[in-house]
Amino acid sequence: MQGRRHGVRLLLTLLVLAMLQVVGPAASYACACGAMIPSDESARSAGELGLVQWDGKTETLDLSMVVQGETKDAAWIMPAPKGTRVTLGSDGLFDRLTDLTKPRVEKRYNYWPSFGGDDDRSGDGAPRAGGAPGGVTVEGHSTVGPFDVTTLSGTDGSAVTTWLTAHGYPARPDLVPAMQAYLDQGWRLYAVKLTSRGSTLRGTLSPLRLSFAATKPVYPIRLSHHARYRQSVVVYVAAPHRMELDPVTAPRSTTTDVPFARWVDGAAVGGRGGERVFLTKLRQSVDPQDIQADYTFRSTAADTQQQDVRYVDVDRSWVTWSVGVLVLLAALIGWLVWGVRRSSRPVGNVG
């Protein structure tokens, strides 16, 4: 009896462990392009969407976080160069980009009858500018649509973390080295808060737009190295030529999928209509540990256009069946005619 009870306890323990593996721990803090913090522990960052527009001198970065679950408000940290201008992005931008870059549909006609089987072919109050704890300076605060944005600079990543913790951001000492690296570059850290204003935040959040001078396009993602979950990253790059992720900054063991790379009108990405830009869509499912640097991009050797294709099978087996039936009917009619003629042939006299 005691052995049986021990076996039941062991089985229950294994079941509990299995459930914990499936459900996973609740996340109160996850990283994306910046470090994102939903206020509700049942919600977490599921990924990010970014549009990088670069004309050779200036970069405009539209960034939208994707929340899995629901939360009343969220906050994140975004690094960017000194002098960055922060404005509100266009709602629906990434829905339009998704539609623009969706796979091209091609019909594939099937004339051979199918005889069964499955075949899936689907390709807090606003802080005041000025003094702060030593090593960090609050350069300014602004309200951008539903976003409250505070600009931080300084020389000490630990001091920045202390400031963030004092203003409602969870303590994350593991981010100090990455923040320090940005400060050493002369970059600024933008502390952003977004509230739902009576409803809840879920899915793709409103985009925020950052504009700054850049000698080459860059996507600040280094803080995502400290994310707790695998991240889905989709980056659109609109530039004078086709762009690719620079191997020097690419994740070590992550494959970058390029489902779309074509010339488009600038208006399609929020730019000037009548001007052509080359839009490249890059997609990753990346292990945070593989992210070691901000993504930078370079021109490819040629502006080769490509687009994923989704095949739609059109059943034309009725044509084959019809032809088969006609052939059989013709054969039957021919056989009948031959039989009739043979039976009506005169029989010769005997003797």
Side-chain angles (χ1 to χ4, degrees):
M1 178 67 71
Q2 186 174 1
R4 182 178 298 175
R5 288 178 179 174
H6 177 74
V8 171
R9 289 174 182 172
L10 179 60
L11 178 60
L12 289 174
T13 301
L14 291 174
L15 286 172
V16 170
L17 289 174
M19 291 175 65
L20 288 174
Q21 290 294 323
V22 172
V23 175
S28 60
Y29 195 112
C31 297
C33 179
M36 179 180 172
I37 315 103
S39 62
D40 192 325
E41 293 191 354
S42 65
R44 69 179 181 89
S45 169
E48 58 192 274
L49 300 168
L51 168 62
V52 174
Q53 299 184 69
W54 182 69
D55 61 7
K57 296 180 180 180
T58 303
E59 174 175 332
T60 299
L61 170 62
D62 288 88
L63 176 68
S64 182
M65 302 297 185
V66 182
V67 176
Q68 181 176 318
E70 295 184 351
T71 181
K72 292 182 179 179
D73 49 57
W76 58 88
I77 311 303
M78 295 197 303
K82 180 181 178 180
T84 294
R85 181 168 175 261
V86 182
T87 57
L88 190 63
S90 173
D91 280 333
L93 170 65
F94 291 103
D95 289 335
R96 295 192 296 273
L97 287 173
T98 298
D99 185 65
L100 176 65
T101 61
K102 64 186 178 183
R104 185 178 70 255
V105 176
E106 289 189 4
K107 293 182 179 180
R108 184 164 50 190
Y109 296 97
N110 182 15
Y111 292 92
W112 193 251
S114 174
F115 297 97
D118 294 327
D119 184 12
D120 184 10
R121 300 175 184 265
S122 59
D124 311 328
R128 296 179 181 178
V136 58
T137 300
V138 178
E139 292 192 348
H141 174 268
S142 61
T143 299
V144 183
F147 299 96
D148 289 325
V149 183
T150 303
T151 306
L152 303 176
S153 64
T155 58
D156 186 351
S158 296
V160 171
T161 301
T162 300
W163 186 96
L164 291 170
T165 303
H167 290 81
Y169 296 78
R172 284 292 299 272
D174 55 323
L175 294 178
V176 170
M179 289 183 179
Q180 187 65 56
Y182 282 119
L183 295 176
D184 291 344
Q185 288 179 239
W187 280 33
R188 301 303 187 253
L189 297 172
Y190 294 85
V192 182
K193 289 188 177 182
L194 173 63
T195 58
S196 59
R197 297 181 179 179
S199 57
T200 56
L201 302 173
R202 60 179 178 272
T204 303
L205 304 184
S206 298
L208 201 60
R209 172 172 291 184
L210 295 84
S211 301
F212 50 87
T215 56
K216 61 180 177 181
V218 59
Y219 188 70
I221 196 173
R222 197 184 312 165
L223 288 176
S224 291
H225 175 78
H226 302 280
R228 295 176 178 174
Y229 300 94
R230 193 171 191 87
Q231 297 288 296
S232 170
V233 180
V234 177
V235 181
Y236 301 86
V237 184
H241 298 280
R242 177 172 174 170
M243 308 299 284
E244 65 181 359
L245 187 57
D246 193 325
V248 175
T249 62
R252 295 170 297 183
S253 58
T254 300
T255 300
T256 301
D257 181 31
V258 184
F260 183 93
R262 300 189 69 86
W263 291 105
V264 301
D265 188 271
V269 295
R272 293 182 180 178
E275 294 185 359
R276 288 201 319 166
V277 295
F278 203 104
L279 179 63
T280 308
K281 180 179 182 179
L282 303 101
R283 184 169 56 198
Q284 294 179 337
S285 176
V286 59
D287 184 338
Q289 296 302 310
D290 286 343
I291 300 172
Q292 301 296 322
D294 291 334
Y295 291 176
T296 56
F297 305 90
R298 66 181 187 182
S299 299
T300 57
D303 294 330
T304 305
Q305 299 191 86
Q306 70 179 68
Q307 185 174 2
D308 279 358
V309 177
R310 180 172 66 88
Y311 292 101
V312 176
D313 288 333
V314 179
D315 185 13
R316 290 288 177 86
S317 60
W318 61 269
V319 175
T320 305
W321 283 113
S322 299
V323 171
V325 170
L326 290 174
V327 169
L328 288 174
L329 286 173
L332 178 61
I333 292 171
W335 179 78
L336 291 173
V337 170
W338 176 81
V340 169
R341 288 181 177 178
R342 184 177 180 184
S343 64
S344 62
R345 186 180 302 168
V347 179
N349 294 327
V350 179

